Amino acid sequence: MTKTVETAQPCCTCKTGKALHLAGGICLIAGALLALVFAFFIGNTLTMTIPKGYYTDESETVVTSMIWDDFGPSYKSLATLFEAMEEYSGHFQTSFYLPTVISTIVGAGTLVAVIALSVIAALKYGAHFKNPSAKYEKYALAAIITFIAGALAYYTINGVSLNTLTASTSYDRSITITVTPSAITKTGMILVGVLVGAYFVLKVASQGKALADKGAIPNLVFTVCSLVFTAIALSFVIEVIAQVSGWKTITAELNFQAITVALATLNQENALKANPAEIDGYAAAYGLSATLQFLQIAVIAAIVVVLIQKISHYPSQKRTGMIESIVLCALTLLYFILTCVCISETNYYLNEMSGTSMDQDYVTLLSAPIALLVAAVLNVAVAVLNKVVLSWDKLTAKKAKPQAEAPVTAEEPAPVETNEPTEE
């Protein structure tokens, strides 16, 4: 009777675990399919707000651009712009074309990757019911996280903000211009993010009694910490990195593509003068701001790899993701160093251009690069600590094996005790 109760409990637990695992799989595959749909609508929204004036009412202009614009219309607009100009430098033209080219690469790469990964995940999910060895989780996760990262990367390339005061007949009016991910892009990222979170929670819950095994809880804690730090890194890598205040009327928060355009524009005006001034710092600032546009995308790609690795390999304790975390940390360190040098050179060049007659202040917003680097370092620390704990558990398990075998030999006379009642 006792034996039947003991065998019934695992069956009940097994059924519950299977149900939770099935629910998690449904959430995950639904997220992959939603990512496939929303990937076609990735875009940014430019909002210009003008407050109420003496003769005018408050107005707001909203313009939404999508990744499809960078497959043709954006290039036509740039061609029209340069056709209308009589003279321009190669750097000036490159500064305008470069973000568009990068946007095209990011958009095309995101679409192709999400389509391919979602289709593979759906096919493997269908085959999973007949053949449990058909693994679909990693492909579905990759589709979802690629969509989120692609949307954020597309925003990063184009995201800036501007606040300027313009003189009015009655009082100064503040015009605010901001670039943000479009509403449909935000909706898509939130929905698929919630589904991934639900999948991970259900995956943890489906472990049941396995969570009581040695090393299971530390592995869960390390995994959650790593996911939190990686998500923090992703939130800061997309932030603007410089703030420019000029003439006490204009404040602009710029990303690298805006800095490249600003540098090329000022250099263009200087080069077209009859006696252009030779000012140091331009080549270094321009080259670094152009290079960092690619490096920023590389950091986002590294974050994607870490997220996929951490979620897909849980609850396995064989891989801690230490190598991926170290690569991410190295990229963020390089990103931090080059960002500091770039803004320093840009600050020097712009102040030399403006001279002492203009009251301008150029400030490096190091909060985002610093937070990114700290999050990456903490991620490495978690991975290393996880590796140490797992290695210690394996070592103690090996030492405990000989001691576990000793009681078995000591209990060999046990059959003699069981025979005594039969003799009576």
Side-chain angles (χ1 to χ4, degrees):
M1 191 173 185
T2 306
K3 289 182 179 179
T4 55
V5 173
E6 288 177 353
T7 54
Q9 285 178 350
C11 290
C12 180
T13 305
C14 182
K15 289 180 180 179
T16 304
K18 285 183 178 180
L20 292 172
H21 183 73
L22 177 62
I26 293 173
C27 289
L28 189 61
I29 204 67
L33 295 177
L34 282 177
L36 174 62
V37 173
F38 281 103
F40 290 90
F41 300 96
I42 293 175
N44 295 322
T45 298
L46 185 148
T47 304
M48 182 174 69
T49 304
I50 303 176
K52 184 178 180 180
Y54 188 77
Y55 296 106
T56 59
D57 295 329
E58 181 178 351
S59 63
E60 182 177 88
T61 303
V62 179
V63 179
T64 299
S65 61
M66 299 178 63
I67 55 174
W68 303 108
D69 295 330
D70 294 312
F71 291 99
S74 295
Y75 292 96
K76 290 181 180 179
S77 299
L78 289 174
T80 303
L81 171 66
F82 288 106
E83 284 176 3
M85 297 181 63
E86 297 181 356
E87 187 178 359
Y88 52 85
S89 66
H91 285 176
F92 183 76
Q93 185 180 31
T94 301
S95 67
F96 280 87
Y97 272 100
L98 184 59
T100 306
V101 171
I102 298 176
S103 295
T104 303
I105 295 172
V106 169
T110 301
L111 282 174
V112 172
V114 172
I115 291 172
L117 292 168
S118 298
V119 171
I120 294 173
L123 293 175
K124 285 187 173 290
Y125 182 72
H128 176 75
F129 293 97
K130 292 183 178 180
N131 182 14
S133 63
K135 303 299 181 181
Y136 64 91
E137 290 91 346
K138 182 176 287 187
Y139 296 99
L141 277 170
I144 294 171
I145 297 175
T146 299
F147 158 68
I148 295 175
L152 292 176
Y154 186 75
Y155 158 72
T156 301
I157 298 167
N158 303 281
V160 295
S161 65
L162 177 67
N163 190 343
T164 176
L165 294 173
T166 57
S168 175
T169 54
S170 56
Y171 53 86
D172 287 344
R173 293 194 298 163
S174 176
I175 300 176
T176 303
I177 301 174
T178 57
V179 177
T180 59
S182 64
I184 191 169
T185 302
K186 291 179 181 178
T187 302
M189 289 191 292
I190 292 172
L191 287 177
V192 299
V194 169
L195 288 172
V196 170
Y199 159 75
F200 185 76
V201 171
L202 291 169
K203 189 176 184 180
V204 173
S206 67
Q207 301 303 307
K209 289 185 177 181
L211 288 173
D213 295 342
K214 188 175 182 180
I217 295 299
N219 184 43
L220 174 60
V221 172
F222 288 134
T223 301
V224 172
C225 288
S226 179
L227 291 175
V228 170
F229 292 140
T230 309
I232 291 174
L234 182 61
S235 66
F236 279 105
V237 73
I238 65 173
E239 294 292 326
V240 292
I241 46 82
Q243 177 176 293
V244 180
S245 300
W247 302 285
K248 296 182 179 180
T249 59
I250 299 176
T251 300
E253 294 182 351
L254 310 175
N255 60 355
F256 292 114
Q257 69 90 3
I259 292 174
T260 307
V261 171
L263 287 167
T265 302
L266 290 174
N267 189 67
Q268 167 86 356
E269 295 174 356
N270 180 59
L272 294 179
K273 292 180 181 178
N275 298 311
E278 294 184 4
I279 303 174
D280 296 329
Y282 169 76
Y286 181 89
L288 285 172
S289 61
T291 302
L292 281 164
Q293 295 181 48
F294 293 96
L295 184 57
Q296 196 172 29
I297 303 301
V299 173
I300 294 176
I303 291 175
V304 169
V305 173
V306 173
L307 287 173
I308 295 173
Q309 190 276 336
K310 285 292 181 182
I311 300 176
S312 63
H313 283 95
Y314 179 83
S316 173
Q317 299 181 25
K318 293 181 179 180
R319 295 191 59 184
T320 61
M322 186 170 62
I323 296 177
E324 292 86 347
S325 298
I326 291 174
V327 171
L328 172 60
C329 187
L331 284 174
T332 55
L333 178 60
L334 179 63
Y335 175 81
F336 174 76
I337 294 172
L338 293 183
T339 297
C340 292
V341 177
C342 175
I343 301 303
S344 176
E345 292 293 326
T346 301
N347 187 37
Y348 173 78
Y349 176 75
L350 294 180
N351 279 289
E352 287 294 315
M353 282 287 296
S354 62
T356 58
S357 59
M358 298 181 182
D359 183 15
Q360 293 180 320
D361 185 24
Y362 303 93
V363 180
T364 306
L365 299 180
L366 289 178
S367 56
I370 289 175
L372 171 63
L373 181 60
V374 170
V377 171
L378 290 175
N379 201 9
V380 172
V382 168
V384 171
L385 188 59
N386 193 8
K387 188 73 173 179
V388 170
V389 171
L390 291 177
S391 300
W392 177 257
D393 289 342
K394 290 180 181 179
L395 182 62
T396 54
K398 287 181 180 180
K399 290 182 178 180
K401 280 184 179 180
Q403 296 177 359
E405 292 174 359
V408 176
T409 56
E411 291 177 357
E412 287 180 358
V416 178
E417 296 179 1
T418 55
N419 290 335
E420 288 180 359
T422 58
E423 290 177 1
E424 290 179 358

